[in-house]
Amino acid sequence: MRICAASILLCCLLAPVIIEKKDITPPTHLSILVDTSQSMQLVDAPTNDTSTSRLSQVNQLLFNEQGQFLQALHDRFEVHLYPFDTGLHQSTVLPQDLDSETLPQFEPNGTLTDIGTAIREAAAAWKGQNTAGIVLITDGGHNSGQFPLEDVTALDVPVYAIGVGSVEPPKDIQIQHIDYTPIAYTNHESIIRVTVVQTGYTGKTTRLSLREMQRKTLVDTATLTFNQSPNATPANATTTQVVELKLTPQVEGNFQYTVELPVLDGELTEANNQKTFSVKL
């Protein structure tokens, strides 16, 4: 007994320590952005006698039975799957062992596409952490807001783009931006500058309208023809032009105005054919 007691006392005096090694290296994040806007439901020229929508091709790439593409990335990185249209939506949580039956399929629920905003939001989500980059899967049909490439490159995050669908963009016209003075004066003319972007309607003519929303009063109109850019060769090239409308208010108050374009034949979406702004008089 004395020997046992002495042994226990000796162990306590020596203060034994159990050392357990753990890898506490923070994970490297990889964001995969999947375009889920309306243009991704388009079916391009069939290959191998099969007609498949653009988003269905993406679902097959990510969630097929073998799962080689997604599994290979999942083995190396902490992968975050983000559907996006005008911005990022909640990411899909991936299980450790990927199983195609447990992963949801992406649906083309978005009305518009804002690629620049999606990239900026994905970069901000993991700012300050180890990031391998952003994988962008899209048909390139950006039709909401501006997309300054220099802003994206300034994020200093690698972006790996995977194109889906035809190289010819779908037909669309959009009111991209309205430049106006939020405070105006009665009986004084104000100039409203509207930036219009079109794809696939070169040579077509349409009419841009300015209306006061409450009374639906037509304030001004302008006819515009989508001329081909001097530096562009294909007829479906995207062009941008600025149109001026005039506003001369007669009474004081707070008013809302809308600038709108009619829907053209074959247009992808009408959701970007109008914009609203407010003016205090």
Side-chain angles (χ1 to χ4, degrees), residues 159-214:
V159 178
Y160 307 96
I162 300 177
V164 183
S166 172
V167 295
E168 296 184 1
K171 291 183 176 182
D172 194 33
I173 57 173
Q174 65 161 307
I175 297 175
Q176 186 182 74
H177 179 70
I178 301 176
D179 185 14
Y180 67 98
T181 303
I183 299 177
Y185 300 93
T186 56
N187 300 315
H188 284 73
E189 183 179 273
S190 297
I191 301 298
I192 312 298
R193 294 180 176 86
V194 184
T195 303
V196 179
V197 179
Q198 70 84 23
T199 302
Y201 292 103
T202 300
K204 301 294 184 181
T205 298
T206 189
R207 182 173 293 273
L208 182 68
S209 302
L210 172 64
R211 296 181 183 274
E212 193 273 308
M213 290 189 62
Q214 184 175 0

